Amino acid sequence: MRQRGERRTILDTTGAPTITTEIPGSFEWGVFHERHPKLISQVLDTTPYTSAEQVTLQQLLVESTTGVLEPLPEKAHDREDWLAWGEHLYGRPWGELPFLWSESYFYRRLLEAVGYFGAGAWRGVDPFAPVKNAELTGPAVDEELSALADLTERPGDQQHDALLVAALWGNRADLSFQLQKNAAAAEARSEGLLVDDSALLWSALSSQDNPIVCVVADNAGRELLADLALADSLLTQRLAAEIVLYVKPHPYYVSDATMADVLTVIQRLRTEPRPQIGRIGDRLWHAVRSGRLKVRTHRFFCAPLAFHDMPDELAAEFATATMTLMKGDLNYRRLVGDRYWPATTSFNETVGYFPSPVAALRTLKSEVVVGLTSEQFAELDATGQRWRTNGRYALIQVRGE
């Protein structure tokens, strides 16, 4: 029998081509040619970068859409890492590169362009902070916190079920904490949730003494608020004796969570006038201080690689988990491999290498999907929608022991 933490054989990927950005009109092509120009405009609109940063950002856009891959400057602290990760890629057109690789590198180059790692005044200034912080203000968050306050009066199983759904759907305000409130919302959840293995997740946690849960975070802002509310519920209901929350070591993919974002969300909860919410914030604060909620990071989380390639020391940390929760679309791509898998490919087989039982909580926002039935796939394709990328569908997929 396999021992906890033993690495398993990686699934043969020869029949699943790697996703690239070279097909005009494809979702991946649109990320570079449509989404990234809007992102650069957003960065320049929300932070008063000088003409030097503006010029470098525009040069990055031109290179990443019409040019060839250039390495980081010689002074970059992580140049050698990226040279190793991108061996044989430099000098090739960006469109020919694996999508996961090129998209990750775009964000690393963006940070270089705005001086995030430099010696000047912009060092350590998160270019995405205005967008992330804006999500924690306004009526949408107030409505969610009101629903969360109501939820604290419900039985424990209803709480963690609703919070799991909130963490799944992330920043979709219409499908957040309020999902449990009425039959129409429950029906909407059922229609959009293509796979629901949540019963396996709860069974795995409830059957263990002192379970350890690793959570690999995705977005900051309202999604991280839902993640932390779920973490509090798991600790309070004793479905986790310890939670290890993994965040990015520096800004990444616009809204990905860092340690600064965790502290911002906890502080937002602690200062909320509703006492039920303030108590959640206080419990999280003390959980971090006591070590029941550990926040960790690793440079690998901003690497352009799948979890198949994670370093041994990170795999050893995951191996201690009763369950690892992978949040969001990017972590899903890294977990199963960013390839054109047939949609009916087994989830268990694609993640069989992972060193602990693992659950994916993912809203579909890219082409990659596995674990569907042939009937589901046929029905979804018949709609004519871009169902893989429109954010209307989600998965809770679990591979246990």
Side-chain angles (χ1 to χ4, degrees):
M1 179 180 292
R2 184 180 65 89
Q3 299 299 310
R4 172 69 58 81
E6 180 182 331
R7 303 292 289 277
R8 300 195 232 187
T9 303
I10 295 176
L11 182 68
D12 179 17
T13 59
T14 54
T18 299
I19 295 175
T20 67
T21 65
E22 62 184 339
I23 302 175
S26 67
F27 169 78
E28 297 79 21
W29 185 91
V31 167
F32 274 81
H33 293 263
E34 298 167 3
R35 184 180 299 179
H36 286 175
K38 294 177 183 177
L39 167 62
I40 295 300
S41 296
Q42 182 184 69
V43 167
L44 294 176
D45 287 344
T46 54
T47 303
Y49 289 114
T50 69
S51 59
E53 290 81 34
Q54 295 175 38
V55 167
T56 309
L57 286 171
Q58 294 303 325
Q59 290 173 341
L60 173 60
L61 276 180
V62 172
E63 180 192 319
S64 63
T65 53
T66 64
V68 298
L69 191 73
E70 301 288 348
L72 289 170
E74 292 188 5
K75 63 181 182 181
H77 72 283
D78 53 352
R79 174 184 165 91
E80 294 305 314
D81 288 337
W82 282 95
L83 288 176
W85 293 331
E87 189 178 9
H88 308 308
L89 296 180
Y90 294 100
R92 293 173 55 183
W94 280 67
E96 295 180 1
L97 310 179
F99 180 43
L100 179 65
W101 204 101
S102 59
E103 196 176 15
S104 295
Y105 191 55
F106 177 86
Y107 283 100
R108 174 60 187 87
R109 289 282 299 278
L110 188 153
L111 292 182
E112 194 70 26
V114 300
Y116 182 86
F117 294 112
W122 294 110
R123 180 178 178 85
V125 176
D126 184 348
F128 312 125
V131 174
K132 290 190 285 189
N133 293 336
E135 280 208 354
L136 292 176
T137 61
V141 168
D142 286 339
E143 290 174 7
E144 291 180 357
L145 291 179
S146 176
L148 178 58
D150 294 341
L151 186 60
T152 60
E153 308 301 324
R154 304 285 186 90
D157 58 341
Q158 291 185 24
Q159 288 186 36
H160 57 242
D161 248 352
L163 291 170
L164 182 71
V165 174
L168 167 69
W169 287 106
N171 55 12
R172 283 184 60 178
D174 58 327
L175 284 171
S176 191
F177 295 124
Q178 301 167 71
L179 270 172
Q180 80 285 357
K181 281 193 166 183
N182 57 60
E187 183 178 347
R189 171 197 172 178
S190 177
E191 289 178 357
L193 190 52
L194 302 178
V195 179
D196 185 0
D197 290 339
S198 55
L200 294 177
L201 171 62
W202 302 132
S203 176
L205 297 184
S206 62
S207 64
Q208 295 286 329
D209 294 328
N210 301 316
I212 297 173
V213 178
C214 290
V215 180
V216 183
D218 186 32
N219 292 324
R222 288 158 54 197
E223 182 172 334
L224 184 59
L225 190 152
D227 294 344
L228 288 171
L230 174 62
D232 172 69
S233 178
L234 294 179
L235 290 170
T236 303
Q237 303 298 326
R238 302 189 182 280
L239 286 170
E242 176 184 306
I243 291 178
V244 183
L245 177 68
Y246 288 94
V247 297
K248 302 297 190 298
H250 55 71
Y252 191 59
Y253 276 73
V254 184
S255 56
D256 282 25
T258 65
M259 183 61 182
D261 299 315
V262 172
L263 297 177
T264 297
V265 170
I266 292 177
Q267 190 63 15
R268 173 69 178 86
L269 292 168
R270 294 187 80 199
T271 56
E272 168 63 31
R274 299 176 183 87
Q276 306 98 313
I277 306 302
R279 284 193 289 271
I280 292 174
D282 288 342
R283 286 196 298 267
L284 289 166
W285 177 278
H286 292 295
V288 172
R289 176 167 283 176
S290 68
R292 294 186 69 209
L293 174 58
K294 294 180 170 67
V295 186
R296 292 179 182 164
T297 191
H298 193 286
R299 68 189 182 95
F300 177 79
F301 290 115
C302 289
L305 306 172
F307 280 105
H308 300 78
D309 302 311
M310 70 179 129
D312 290 341
E313 70 271 14
L314 185 57
E317 290 185 25
F318 285 130
T320 66
T322 306
M323 181 67 68
T324 297
L325 304 185
M326 289 284 181
K327 282 294 316 298
D329 192 80
L330 176 59
N331 283 325
Y332 189 87
R333 291 164 58 193
R334 301 183 80 188
L335 177 65
V336 306
D338 203 36
R339 295 176 174 272
Y340 290 112
W341 294 110
T344 55
T345 303
S346 165
F347 175 76
N348 284 356
E349 289 184 21
T350 58
V351 302
Y353 71 93
F354 201 79
S356 75
V358 62
L361 308 182
R362 181 249 184 153
T363 302
L364 276 66
K365 297 178 182 176
S366 67
E367 293 286 350
V368 182
V369 64
V370 298
L372 302 187
T373 66
S374 55
E375 292 80 11
Q376 280 179 313
F377 174 65
E379 182 178 343
L380 289 164
D381 258 16
T383 65
Q385 302 176 23
R386 291 196 168 189
W387 59 271
R388 296 170 181 258
T389 59
N390 62 16
R392 297 177 183 172
Y393 298 95
L395 307 163
I396 301 175
Q397 292 174 311
V398 177
R399 189 219 83 202
E401 286 285 9

